[in-house]
Amino acid sequence: GIRGFGVFLAACQTLSRRSGGSAELPSRLAGERHPATPGPIRDSPRLLSWQHPKRTVAAAVNVCATEGAEIWVRAGAYSGASVDLPAFCYLYGGFMGSEITKDERQPAINVTTLANHYIIVRGGSGFRTIDGFTIEKGRVSCYYSSPVISNNRFLGCGQSLYCYSSSASIVDNVIESSKYGAIECSYGTPRILR
C-alpha cells in the first residue's frame, strides 16, 4: 500500500534489451495518486503518462517482466512488498512527477522511500538497476546476477545488501543502522565503491 501525501509511482516505456536502460523516456509513464482523489487507488491498465499510474512497485515491475523497462518512482513512501526484479528492469527513485527525462529527477530532494521492501535479483543474464531510493527496514538480495545498486540510502535494515555468487556494482550508497551488517558477499566479485 501507499502512505503519505502525494505519493506517485511511474513505470516507463519498454526498452530494447540491447539498450542497457539508457534511453530517454518521454512518454509511457505510470503511477499517480492525487490527494483529492477519493476512494482506493486503482492500477491503470495503460502506461501513457504520469496521470495513469501503477499503484505499487510490484505492479510496475510486473509490467516490465517480459520486455524490460525503466520504472520511475515518484517521491513518497511505499510500504512493504517482495519484488523479484526481472532482467532488463531498471528501478529509479527521486521523481517529482512531471519529468520527461530521467536526468530531470532529483533523488536528494524528491525522497522516495521503500519501507519493508525486499528486492530480489536472480539470474545472470540481463542488466538491472536500483537507484535513488531510501530503503527502510528492507533488503536487496542478489543471486547469480550483476545488478547496479547505486545512490541509495539504506536505513534501519537487518542486513542491507546480500550478494551470493554475484558481481553486483554497489556504488555511492549510504548504509545507516544495519542490525546484522551492511553488506554480505559470498562467492562472487562485487564492486563496492564509496
Side-chain angles (χ1 to χ4, degrees), residues 6 19 23 32-33 35 50 57 63 100 113 119 130 134 136 139 142 147 166 169:
S19 74
E32 181 170 352
R33 179 182 145 222
W50 283 106
V57 174
V63 171
I100 295 172
T113 302
I119 302 170
I130 302 163
T134 295
E136 185 177 332
R139 177 173 159 163
C142 310
S166 293
S169 292

Side-chain angles (χ1 to χ4, degrees), residues 40-145:
I41 303 159
R42 291 184 175 84
D43 280 344
S44 168
R46 306 179 299 156
L47 298 177
L48 299 174
S49 71
W50 283 106
Q51 287 73 41
H52 299 283
K54 286 296 176 193
R55 183 173 180 237
T56 64
V57 174
V61 167
N62 287 339
V63 171
C64 76
T66 57
E67 294 294 323
E70 285 190 354
I71 297 172
W72 295 1
V73 185
R74 184 170 176 166
Y78 299 82
S79 62
S82 288
V83 177
D84 233 323
L85 201 62
F88 306 103
C89 190
Y90 309 89
L91 192 58
Y92 294 99
F95 291 91
M96 181 175 56
S98 60
E99 293 86 348
I100 295 172
T101 68
K102 185 174 59 196
D103 293 337
E104 295 177 77
R105 73 189 176 119
Q106 297 178 324
I109 295 169
N110 302 314
V111 177
T112 308
T113 302
L114 302 179
N116 299 308
H117 273 73
Y118 294 89
I119 302 170
I120 302 165
V121 184
R122 304 175 214 260
S125 64
F127 300 103
R128 297 167 182 96
T129 297
I130 302 163
D131 184 289
F133 292 94
T134 295
I135 299 172
E136 185 177 332
K137 297 180 181 172
R139 177 173 159 163
V140 175
S141 299
C142 310
Y143 302 95
Y144 306 100
S145 58

Side-chain angles (χ1 to χ4, degrees), residues 150-161:
S150 57
N151 304 307
N152 299 295
R153 180 176 175 228
F154 291 86
L155 181 60
C157 301
Q159 180 180 58
S160 300
L161 293 160

Side-chain angles (χ1 to χ4, degrees), residues 170-187:
I170 302 167
V171 182
D172 291 332
N173 293 285
V174 174
I175 300 173
E176 302 174 35
S177 306
S178 264
K179 189 173 182 179
Y180 302 112
I183 302 171
E184 180 182 342
C185 300
S186 302
Y187 311 106

